[in-house]
Structure formats: structure tokens, C-alpha cells
Amino acid sequence: MNYQQPPHLQAVILDWAGTVVDFGSLAPTQIFVEAFAEFGVKVSIDEARGPMGMGKWDHIRTLCNVPAIAERYREKFGRKPTDDDVTTIYERFMPLQIEKIGLHSALIPGALDAIATLRDRGLKIGTCSGYPAQVMAKVVDIARDNGYVPDHVVATDEVPNGRPHPAQSLANVIALSINDVAACVKVDDTWPGILEGRSAGMWAVALTCSGNALGLTYEEYKALPPEKLAKERQRIEQMFEGSRPHYMINTIAELPAVIDEINARLARGEMPQGC
């Protein structure tokens, strides 16, 4: 039997915060700042945003590896943070995250319409997140109340390795009965999420304005002067270059047009691994 490449897409695998909900990816970022602050260690919003997209324990470990943050920790405790210290911070992070997740869980404008369009075109909707299952359960409940119910959800602690490893995307492939990873598109607002999709052999679409990289509310985004927005978009596109997304768009509202283009490329024989 000969290999036959997929003639069209079968599924879209969407991130959550910054992609479908929480326009500026504000919920996780602020909680990192607060969790470290409870131990007397200052972490700025910009520092907290750096590893966004990773699982939350890995995110905290990465922050603790930042020389400036590690030095602040040493000044407070007389030593650099160990994995046990990371776990202690993580255990404080979790209840804070669960308590406050509802403050930043509104659907991103245009998300429901875009997802409905994808479903009309026969695509399944898989999802994954850097949130652990305990937090995801609350996010999913709030999203359901707001009209968003994906076909599958994979939390970061439900697989052996979180982003940038491909495990979460591949878990969606299995659960959704997709027969070829090249028939999938991974959509994310962070570089670990784009690397996840790339490593899984999928098409990858990066969001430049709705998520972590811009870090603004929807209202703040819409109020940006055109020249400022253009400058910020250029910065964000440069940030994404190393993760090699196939497309970069402002928000999920623009995704249906990209899906049409990818379907056309598949019909011409193009594959995500070759470009």
C-alpha cells in the first residue's frame, strides 16, 4: 500500500488563553507575579511572560533559572531555587490560579464565529493548554457557559511532556481519530505552542496580537495607533521566527481564511514538514 497524503484538513488544535479566551493572556501572567511575591521575590510582568506556553511547573522552573530572578531568590533565602522550591511556588500558584481564572476568561472577539466556520467546513476542534487539568476544568466550564465546547481537551499534566514537546497535540490526534498529522493545524500565541505544532508535523499558525506577546486587553489593542501596532507586530513576528510558524495572523478571527489557503496547498501536494 502506498502513502497518500491528506487532500484537506481534518482538525484544528487550539490553545486556550490568548487564543480563544483571555485576549491578552492576562490570567496566568499576573498569577506568576503574585505567587512569587508571596515568597518575597519580585518578578515583573515582562519576566513572567517570557516562558508563557509551557506547563506551569516548567514555567516556574524556567523563571527560577533566569539569573536576575535566581539572584533575588538567593538574596531572600540564601540559596538559589531548587526543584523543591519550584514545587513549593507551584503549589501556591495553583490555588491562586483556580481562584482568579474567571477574571480573565471572556471569549476573544470573533472566536465563536471563526470556530463555527471551521466546523461548517468539517473540521474537528481539539484543544490543549499550559494549564494543568485542575485549572482546565474551570476554564472549560466557563467557556461552555459562554458557548464554546471543543471536541477534545488535553491539559499539560495529562501527557508525559508539555510544550514545546508535541505530546498534547498528538494526544488530540489520537482522541479525534485523525489519520495524518499533516491534516492538522496548531494555533497558538506562544513560541512553545508553535514549536509543539511543528514538532508534531502539523501546520502552525501564530497569533501576534491576541495573546501573550502583545499582552494587552482587547480594548487596549483596538486603541493602539496604527504606527504603534505595526511596530509591535514587527517585534512579535521577529520573536516567532525561530519557531517557524507557517502563518502569522492578528487573532483567531482571521483563521478561516488561512484554513482555506492551507487546504489549497494540500490539494497542490504541499505538506507542512516541507515548508
Side-chain angles (χ1 to χ4, degrees), residues 41-63:
V41 179
K42 182 179 179 181
V43 173
S44 71
I45 287 286
D46 287 343
E47 287 171 329
R49 287 192 179 280
M52 197 64 70
M54 293 180 173
K56 302 315 176 192
W57 191 96
D58 291 331
H59 189 131
I60 294 169
R61 176 70 271 180
T62 302
L63 288 176

Side-chain angles (χ1 to χ4, degrees), residues 16-28 104-108 131 210-211:
W16 282 81
T19 297
V20 178
V21 301
D22 186 3
F23 190 89
S25 197
L26 301 174
H104 301 286
S105 292
L107 289 168
I108 287 172
Y131 287 135
S210 68

Side-chain angles (χ1 to χ4, degrees), residues 15-17 21-22 25-29 31-32 52 54-57 60 89-105 127-144 153-158 168:
D15 174 50
W16 282 81
V21 301
D22 186 3
S25 197
L26 301 174
T29 311
I31 305 305
F32 284 120
M52 197 64 70
M54 293 180 173
K56 302 315 176 192
W57 191 96
I60 294 169
I89 298 170
Y90 175 80
E91 289 172 348
R92 184 63 195 116
F93 169 88
M94 283 291 291
L96 284 171
Q97 186 74 92
I98 293 169
E99 175 188 346
K100 299 187 177 184
I101 193 68
L103 297 176
H104 301 286
S105 292
T127 66
C128 56
S129 173
Y131 287 135
Q134 190 176 3
V135 177
M136 274 311 309
K138 189 167 183 179
V139 175
V140 169
D141 284 346
I142 295 171
R144 182 184 299 111
V153 180
V154 180
T156 190
D157 57 350
E158 294 176 326
Q168 286 181 274

Side-chain angles (χ1 to χ4, degrees), residues 2 9 31 79 104 120 125 156 217 233 270:
N2 296 327
L9 293 170
I31 305 305
R79 55 182 167 78
H104 301 286
D120 287 344
I125 308 297
T156 190
T217 66
R233 190 184 291 114
E270 296 183 43

Side-chain angles (χ1 to χ4, degrees), residues 161-185:
N161 301 104
R163 301 164 180 167
H165 297 275
Q168 286 181 274
S169 283
L170 295 177
N172 274 281
V173 169
I174 294 168
L176 297 174
S177 297
I178 306 302
N179 61 22
D180 197 316
V181 292
C184 297
V185 181

